[in-house]
């Protein structure tokens, strides 16, 4: 098999470095701390970690507001610590990708400081300026809770500047060839350090054009293809993972003809997994899966249940969004922008059956799964923290007062109550063969044993009830049959009489009219 296609069948893990493990004692996680936990990640079985931004930043958007692209923020350590982490990860066959925030910088970036101070500065043209705020009016606002316009007046410059996110994140001007080149230089810098690729933040918004919604423009795709060609020519085997929160038709072009992104987050399926679980019916999932265009062979979806942002409801109908809010975010504080700022376990009522079932879908639907740190132990959230910070609380390593996260006071409070470190922590779950951690670990193990999950065809099955998500994954003569009972009632399937082997227990099972308990899932290897 072509080793450069490793991501086709890999398990990913997203990490907030600030929240993972503090080695310096300042109460914030850092790269040395993360390196101490590589054994844990290896034990879980992850193949690649994605680090949220570690660049110097004023932290108005948790590091997605970068003030220096060529350095590591002091609180995380330094470039040497990143190198140390990457080398140590590689010796364990764990790859490391990081965020590449291309669309915007921090307003504290020296480029922007120079751009706003002097219209003749070389950097003025790095940003998008206007004398009126009436341009590009069809572009939606993303951070709807905070921003009312994509333009902000800058006193110093005497002009408006364009920003798709917070006003403290001015958009770069990709019409400027210097910006285009600069971004390639930034990519080169990190790839030369040994980074295995990038999660490309906010990919759809690079260019702006009048009378469009300024998303997914042909110019944006052309530039992304240039970035890909640069990677292929100089760094084969390193990947680009796309954050494009779009409808199926618009997300598909980010794979190009296999010459744009290697991977893309499967945004369309994500909210519909939650719909399916709540309704106990496959319809919403099936509807969107039928609408998904196929992707080139050298590309892969990245499936996810949760991440560091709100559970986005941008790509559902207004009625569906309202319904999801009512079902999953009954308290207004649980809502943010067009989404829900809660973690997996609380969303699923801390019901072990539902959490496992959601993970069963995550690991068996087409794509390479990504786990959001802490979800493998069922961590909770803290909706009293603002913005998305409530889902970014410190990793709970053990039941000690600071959860084994830091020797001093954590930079944000630890969770309390049912989800406190006393009740939810790594140490106790490692010791318990029936813990959520060990269940997820087994799912990862089985996922790796069967290439059908990463490489196989996908065929939806009608098993006589729409309460069961049933499908086959087939690759090179092996067929896996996956059954997921989405409902809180027993369900009976009507399957062709056949023999199968349970992928977890290796027991032989005779399929026929097989009954699944509420929220039960089965991963089977068909033996004709
Ligand atoms: C992406 C990130 C999000 C960030 C935004 C602006 O959507 O996931 O956390 O706030 O981009 O960079």
């Amino acid at each position: 098999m072509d080793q450069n296609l490793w991501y086709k069948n890999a398990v990913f893990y997203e990490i907030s470095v600030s929240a993972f493990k503090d080695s310096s004692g300042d109460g914030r996680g850092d790269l040395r701390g993360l390196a101490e936990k590589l054994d844990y990640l290896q034990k879980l079985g992850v193949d690649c970690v994605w680090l949220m931004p570690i660049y110097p930043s004023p932290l108005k958007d948790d590091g997605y507001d970068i003030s220096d692209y060529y350095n590591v923020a002091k609180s995380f350590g330094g470039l040497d610590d990143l190198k140390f982490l990457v080398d140590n990860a590689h010796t364990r066959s764990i790859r490391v990708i990081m965020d590449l925030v291309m669309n915007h910088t921090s307003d504290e970036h020296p480029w922007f400081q120079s751009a706003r101070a002097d219209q003749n500065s070389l950097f003025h043209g790095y940003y998008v300026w206007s004398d009126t705020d009436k341009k590009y009016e069809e572009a939606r606002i993303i951070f709807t809770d905070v921003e009312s316009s994509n333009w902000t007046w800058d006193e110093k410059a005497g002009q408006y500047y364009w920003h798709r996110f917070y006003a403290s994140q001015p958009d770069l001007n990709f019409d400027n060839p210097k910006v285009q080149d600069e971004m390639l230089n930034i990519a080169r810098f990190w790839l030369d350090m040994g980074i295995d690729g990038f999660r490309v933040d906010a990919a759809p918004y690079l260019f702006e054009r009048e009378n469009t919604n300024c998303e997914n423009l042909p110019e944006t795709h052309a530039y992304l293809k240039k970035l890909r060609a640069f990677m292929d020519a100089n760094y084969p085997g390193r990947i680009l993972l796309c954050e494009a929160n779009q409808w199926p038709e618009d997300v598909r072009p980010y794979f190009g003809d296999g010459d744009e992104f290697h991977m893309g987050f499967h945004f369309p399926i994500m909210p519909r997994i939650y719909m399916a679980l709540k309704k106990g019916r496959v319809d919403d999932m099936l509807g969107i899966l039928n609408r998904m265009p196929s992707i080139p062979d050298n590309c892969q979806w990245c499936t996810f249940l949760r991440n560091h942002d709100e559970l986005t409801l941008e790509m559902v109908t207004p009625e569906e969004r309202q319904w999801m809010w009512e079902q999953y975010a009954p308290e207004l504080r649980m809502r943010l922008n067009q989404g829900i700022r809660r973690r997996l376990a609380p969303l699923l009522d801390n019901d072990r059956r539902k959490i496992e079932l959601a993970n069963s879908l995550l690991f068996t639907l087409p794509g390479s799964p990504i786990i959001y740190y802490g979800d493998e132990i069922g961590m909770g959230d803290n909706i009293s923290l603002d913005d998305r910070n409530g889902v970014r609380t410190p990793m709970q390593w053990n039941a000690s007062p600071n959860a084994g996260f830091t020797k001093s006071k954590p930079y944000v409070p630890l969770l309390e109550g049912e989800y406190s470190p006393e009740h939810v922590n790594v140490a106790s779950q490692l010791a318990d063969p029936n813990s959520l951690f060990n269940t997820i670990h087994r799912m990862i193990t089985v996922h790796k044993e069967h290439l059908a999950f990463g490489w196989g065809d996908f065929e939806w099955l009608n098993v006589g009830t729409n309460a069961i998500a049933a499908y086959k994954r087939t690759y090179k003569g092996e067929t896996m049959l996956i059954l997921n009972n989405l409902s809180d009632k027993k369900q009976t399937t009507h399957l062709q009489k056949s023999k199968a082997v349970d992928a977890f227990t290796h027991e032989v099972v005779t399929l026929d009219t097989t009954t699944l308990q509420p929220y039960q899932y089965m991963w089977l290897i068909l033996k004709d």
Side-chain angles (χ1 to χ4, degrees):
M1 191 161 295
D2 184 348
Q3 285 309 310
N4 287 344
L5 299 179
W6 60 271
Y7 54 89
K8 288 279 289 183
N9 200 46
V11 175
F12 288 73
Y13 187 90
E14 178 188 356
I15 298 179
S16 159
V17 181
S18 317
F20 207 59
K21 170 75 181 141
D22 170 26
S23 73
S24 67
D26 66 354
R28 246 180 200 279
D30 47 47
L31 293 164
R32 288 273 166 175
L34 167 49
E36 285 169 27
K37 295 300 182 185
L38 285 168
D39 286 343
Y40 168 75
L41 296 170
Q42 189 175 24
K43 184 154 189 25
L44 180 58
V46 307
D47 301 297
C48 182
V49 294
W50 151 31
L51 311 184
M52 284 171 61
I54 53 173
Y55 308 83
S57 159
L59 298 182
K60 294 194 186 130
D61 185 6
D62 208 3
Y64 285 93
D65 46 331
I66 296 175
S67 55
D68 178 1
Y69 282 92
Y70 295 98
N71 217 333
V72 165
K74 282 207 186 67
S75 65
F76 293 128
L79 287 167
D80 287 347
D81 298 301
L82 180 64
K83 185 92 187 86
F84 176 82
L85 169 72
V86 171
D87 290 347
N88 279 278
H90 286 171
T91 57
R92 291 168 174 81
S93 301
I94 296 176
R95 287 179 164 88
V96 181
I97 64 172
M98 59 192 274
D99 256 293
L100 184 62
V101 185
M102 304 211 294
N103 180 66
H104 45 266
T105 69
S106 158
D107 59 357
E108 293 186 22
H109 195 294
W111 298 340
F112 189 72
Q113 292 299 324
S114 163
R116 69 167 18 153
D118 176 5
Q119 300 240 353
N120 297 317
S121 145
L122 170 71
F123 298 107
H124 192 74
Y126 270 41
Y127 296 89
V128 182
W129 300 97
S130 166
D131 294 330
T132 98
D133 58 356
K134 298 282 172 262
K135 281 171 82 179
Y136 313 135
E137 288 192 297
E138 287 171 40
R140 69 188 161 119
I141 291 163
I142 297 171
F143 288 161
T144 45
D145 283 2
V146 175
E147 300 296 343
S148 52
S149 168
N150 288 322
W151 291 107
T152 288
W153 176 254
D154 188 68
E155 277 302 336
K156 253 192 175 162
Q159 280 185 303
Y160 292 94
Y161 63 89
W162 179 250
H163 55 89
R164 290 309 298 271
F165 296 92
Y166 288 128
S168 53
Q169 293 165 302
D171 271 37
L172 284 164
N173 172 21
F174 274 82
D175 274 318
N176 183 342
K178 290 211 174 63
V179 168
Q180 295 198 9
D181 290 348
E182 187 79 53
M183 235 2 111
L184 295 189
N185 287 337
I186 291 165
R188 183 183 295 115
F189 177 80
W190 297 103
L191 293 164
D192 283 344
M193 273 199 65
I195 287 287
D196 295 288
F198 302 104
R199 177 259 190 192
V200 175
D201 183 70
Y205 318 110
L206 303 187
F207 285 79
E208 299 75 36
R209 292 290 178 263
E210 207 51 82
N211 301 319
T212 74
N213 66 358
C214 298
E215 300 186 13
N216 317 316
L217 295 176
E219 292 85 349
T220 294
H221 286 291
Y223 179 68
L224 292 168
K225 284 194 165 70
K226 211 159 129 182
L227 172 64
R228 170 62 181 269
F230 161 82
M231 302 268 296
D232 283 352
N234 303 291
Y235 306 95
R238 322 274 188 108
I239 61 161
L240 294 171
L241 165 57
C242 179
E243 188 212 14
N245 184 1
Q246 299 288 333
W247 290 98
E249 300 71 24
D250 295 322
V251 88
R252 167 65 186 83
Y254 286 92
F255 295 113
D257 297 320
D259 59 354
E260 206 167 313
F261 279 93
H262 302 80
M263 299 187 77
F265 287 112
H266 205 318
F267 276 101
I269 193 75
M270 185 277 296
R272 291 166 180 94
I273 291 179
Y274 291 92
M275 292 180 195
L277 273 166
K278 195 62 106 179
K279 295 181 188 172
R281 285 204 317 267
V282 298
D283 320 21
D284 296 298
M285 274 172 61
L286 190 52
I288 206 80
L289 286 171
N290 284 336
R291 201 175 137 181
M292 294 306 294
S294 65
I295 60 172
D297 279 348
N298 63 341
C299 296
Q300 183 60 299
W301 291 110
C302 187
T303 49
F304 66 103
L305 296 170
R306 287 297 293 112
N307 62 22
H308 65 290
D309 287 325
E310 67 274 32
L311 189 169
T312 161
L313 300 173
E314 282 155 293
M315 300 300 147
V316 300
T317 63
E319 296 73 35
E320 288 172 329
R321 184 178 311 128
Q322 205 51 47
W323 184 86
M324 282 287 289
W325 270 334
E326 280 158 20
Q327 298 296 323
Y328 284 108
E331 289 177 48
L332 287 181
R333 285 185 307 173
M334 296 171 171
R335 305 178 187 180
L336 179 72
N337 301 320
Q338 305 296 302
I340 300 174
R341 48 193 207 105
R342 301 182 74 194
R343 263 201 188 253
L344 182 66
L347 280 166
L348 301 183
D349 311 316
N350 208 9
D351 182 332
R352 179 66 183 272
R353 300 168 307 169
K354 295 185 202 169
I355 296 171
E356 284 194 31
L357 184 68
N359 276 287
S360 167
L361 293 164
L362 173 74
F363 280 97
T364 58
L365 286 168
S368 288
I370 185 160
I371 299 167
Y372 182 49
Y373 87 92
D375 280 348
E376 76 279 21
I377 54 168
M379 267 173 58
D381 51 41
N382 179 354
I383 53 169
S384 71
L385 298 176
D386 67 357
D387 202 344
R388 290 147 291 174
N389 296 321
V391 300
R392 303 177 185 177
T393 60
M395 183 71 174
Q396 297 172 182
W397 295 104
N398 57 44
S400 70
N402 292 325
F405 163 70
T406 177
K407 289 187 217 77
S408 59
K409 193 170 164 280
Y411 72 112
V412 289
L414 294 162
L415 298 178
E416 290 170 9
E418 158 186 27
Y419 295 102
S420 69
E422 192 191 334
H423 299 294
V424 178
N425 69 70
V426 168
S428 64
Q429 294 205 18
L430 283 173
D432 172 5
N434 296 318
S435 64
L436 181 61
F437 173 91
N438 276 309
T439 302
I440 304 279
H441 168 63
R442 283 190 287 274
M443 287 186 179
I444 293 178
T445 308
V446 175
H447 186 276
K448 287 188 179 166
E449 283 166 0
H450 301 279
L451 289 179
F453 291 123
W455 287 86
D457 295 338
F458 175 78
E459 185 196 345
W460 193 271
L461 295 180
N462 185 344
V463 292
T465 161
N466 66 4
I468 295 188
Y471 38 88
K472 282 184 185 169
R473 307 295 319 272
T474 306
Y475 185 68
K476 290 199 172 158
E478 182 178 70
T479 299
M480 310 286 299
L481 169 65
I482 313 298
L483 303 172
N484 301 285
N485 180 3
L486 303 166
S487 77
D488 59 358
K489 310 218 164 37
K490 269 193 203 171
Q491 299 288 342
T492 302
T493 62
H494 300 284
L495 294 160
Q496 238 177 9
K497 195 167 170 125
S498 59
K499 286 242 171 306
V501 172
D502 185 299
F504 292 102
T505 63
H506 305 290
E507 277 165 29
V508 177
V509 186
T510 306
L511 297 172
D512 192 354
T513 45
T514 304
T515 297
L516 275 85
Q517 297 304 315
Y519 303 115
Q520 191 189 346
Y521 57 94
M522 294 174 93
W523 299 7
L524 303 157
I525 309 154
L526 286 186
K527 300 283 171 194
D528 50 46

